[in-house]
């Protein structure tokens, strides 16, 4: 038996969008169930995101600490951001986020993993990249504002992040998935076996 997610779309008999925000919206669909009943499903429509697990040559991961108002926490995270432009190449978006949030560039890029963050209530898809061969970016630093003006940066050994995740001390989705995926890759087939940075992403198709 092959354990693999498969694309499928059940019939929608009616749909409406009761809320439209700056970046996301809320959609309500009436969906036909296998038994023929029709149920209503509300979910957030999201443009998608990218995140970057940047690993330096000493085995440390670049992390940022940022206030997240919905959960009333300052969370340790990895650089991440929205796919603001429809059809945007996710690698280009990831490179931009690494520059803007950490003023860092990387020479080696791989796809670490792809996830749906909360598929029961949101269609957000995130591609998490592994970035290596890090260096300071050229030019002026990106001008930050709002929550990002209070952001902290650090480089933390991967093993410390894994311990923090398993101890319930680190909670950001992309950091948790990224750190555990990297740990698994290092103890499995190795980083060179990861998918190339331009690997297809059916959840958010893009032009190379």
């Amino acid at each position: 038996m092959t354990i693999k997610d498969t694309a499928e779309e059940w019939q929608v008999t009616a749909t409406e969008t009761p809320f439209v925000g700056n970046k996301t919206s809320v959609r309500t669909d009436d969906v036909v169930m296998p038994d023929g009943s029709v149920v209503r499903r509300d979910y957030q429509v999201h443009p998608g995101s990218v995140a970057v697990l940047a690993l330096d040559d000493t085995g440390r991961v670049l992390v940022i600490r940022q206030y997240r108002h919905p959960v009333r926490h300052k969370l340790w995270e990895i650089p991440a951001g929205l796919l603001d432009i429809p059809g945007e190449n996710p690698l280009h978006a990831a490179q931009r986020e690494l520059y803007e949030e950490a003023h860092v560039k990387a020479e080696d890029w791989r796809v670490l993993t792809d996830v749906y963050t909360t598929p029961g209530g949101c269609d957000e898809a995130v591609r998490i990249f592994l970035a290596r061969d890090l260096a300071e970016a050229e030019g002026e630093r990106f001008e930050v504002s709002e929550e990002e003006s209070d952001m902290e940066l650090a480089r933390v050994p991967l093993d410390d992040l894994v311990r923090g995740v398993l101890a319930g001390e680190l909670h950001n989705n992309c950091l948790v998935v990224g750190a555990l995926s990297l740990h698994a890759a290092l103890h499995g087939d190795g980083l060179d076996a990861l998918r190339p940075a331009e690997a297809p992403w059916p959840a958010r198709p893009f032009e190379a």
Side-chain angles (χ1 to χ4, degrees), residues 9-203:
E9 187 169 356
W10 292 0
Q11 182 184 0
V12 174
T13 60
T15 186
E16 59 184 72
T17 306
F19 171 79
V20 177
N22 185 31
K23 298 292 185 180
T24 66
S25 60
V26 173
R27 183 174 296 160
T28 299
D29 288 344
D30 291 341
V31 186
V32 180
M33 297 290 106
D35 63 2
S37 63
V38 178
V39 300
R40 179 155 288 191
R41 293 289 179 259
D42 303 316
Y43 58 99
Q44 183 184 22
V45 178
H46 194 285
S49 305
V50 292
V52 184
L53 196 149
L55 182 69
D56 70 16
D57 56 6
T58 66
R60 298 176 303 168
V61 175
L62 192 156
V63 291
I64 60 178
R65 188 169 182 246
Q66 186 172 351
Y67 177 66
R68 294 301 189 183
H69 186 69
V71 296
R72 309 307 200 267
H73 269 71
K74 271 193 170 182
L75 300 179
W76 285 103
E77 308 179 350
I78 57 177
L82 298 175
L83 289 168
D84 294 312
I85 305 169
E88 182 179 17
N89 186 310
L91 174 60
H92 299 165
Q95 292 169 333
R96 180 184 67 238
E97 293 300 330
L98 185 61
Y99 162 73
E100 291 181 356
E101 295 193 351
H103 201 65
V104 166
K105 63 180 182 179
E107 293 299 322
D108 186 275
W109 290 82
R110 305 277 177 140
V111 174
L112 187 54
T113 191
D114 298 324
V115 295
Y116 291 114
T117 55
T118 48
C122 180
D123 71 352
E124 180 183 14
V126 180
R127 169 157 282 189
I128 304 176
F129 289 91
L130 172 66
R132 293 181 292 172
D133 296 340
L134 308 182
E136 189 81 2
E138 296 92 356
E140 296 292 325
R141 295 189 69 93
F142 182 77
E143 186 174 344
V144 297
S145 61
E146 300 173 352
E147 290 93 342
E148 292 183 351
S149 63
D150 188 50
M151 200 162 55
E152 305 169 47
L153 282 87
R155 295 195 182 198
V156 178
L158 175 63
D159 287 346
D160 290 352
L161 295 180
V162 172
R163 281 194 293 269
V165 168
L166 298 180
E169 298 169 350
L170 299 170
H171 307 89
N172 175 264
N173 182 288
C174 291
L175 185 148
V176 170
V177 173
L180 296 183
S181 295
L182 178 58
H183 184 268
L186 288 168
H187 291 81
D189 293 334
L191 302 186
D192 289 338
L194 293 171
R195 287 172 291 161
E198 298 279 6
W201 189 18

